[in-house]
Amino acid sequence: MVMLKLPFLKARWGWLFLWICMMCAVVVLQANPETVIRVEFKMIQTFPNVFGVGQRFPLLKSPQGGGTWLSANRIFYEQQQNSAAPKVAATSTMLETRDLNVGPLTLQHDEEHQHLTLYDSNRSLLAQSRVTGSSMQNWMVNGNTLSGARVGFRKGKKLRDELLGLARERDIGIDEVYMIDGSSKDTRANAFVAGAG
């Protein structure tokens, strides 16, 4: 067994100093965990207003860029507004991926015409869907139907407001609801993070 010979442990109050430093770190972490997580892991963000989750998609081949295979089973966030983004109709919502998987994807949700379109980073068409009836999605790739593939849309603002309202009713102080997206730091298909706050 190798013993560490740290100078401050040899001092008369070295162990006490080490214990006080450890307790200070624990108090800081308990009082402000989101700051530490935000700085250390860079994957925490405020809960998004609207986001979509791709489910049961097979790998899709990009028509450009050497035919890269892309996964659409990812989280799609509302697109940041910038001047380079293509102009879309007022009834369309643009969503994008923000993870480490190969090839960022863009999803256009045209609510007026009940139409979903999935693009790769070169704005090449990957898949299209018509939403029929009770939110059934019929995804098509090169004329072939993808059975079971869908993008589930979540109303994050509504969920956030309900959680904050429930906390207020019970006199529980909550400042913000956060979403931790492990896929922003990982390339695995299921990069989930679990925990309690």
Side-chain angles (χ1 to χ4, degrees), residues 10 45 49 66 68 103 110 132 161:
K10 288 184 177 183
Q45 59 188 341
N49 291 334
T68 308
D110 186 348
T132 59
D161 292 344

Side-chain angles (χ1 to χ4, degrees), residues 65-142:
T68 308
W69 290 95
L70 303 169
S71 172
N73 298 317
R74 296 153 77 172
I75 300 175
F76 294 87
Y77 298 97
E78 278 185 291
Q79 195 171 56
Q80 306 291 330
Q81 296 298 327
N82 60 26
S83 58
K87 301 291 184 220
V88 295
T91 59
S92 289
T93 304
M94 297 296 285
L95 297 109
E96 64 187 359
T97 57
R98 297 181 191 155
D99 53 29
L100 294 182
N101 276 311
V102 175
L105 300 178
T106 304
L107 178 68
Q108 182 177 355
H109 182 204
D110 186 348
E111 292 142 9
E112 182 181 346
H113 299 103
Q114 297 295 306
H115 193 73
L116 296 166
T117 310
L118 187 62
Y119 300 101
D120 68 3
S121 59
N122 299 319
R123 293 288 295 166
S124 299
L125 179 68
L126 291 175
Q128 289 182 317
S129 173
R130 283 248 181 242
V131 180
T132 59
S134 61
S135 72
M136 281 291 295
Q137 297 176 8
N138 298 320
W139 283 94
M140 302 283 287
V141 176
N142 298 329

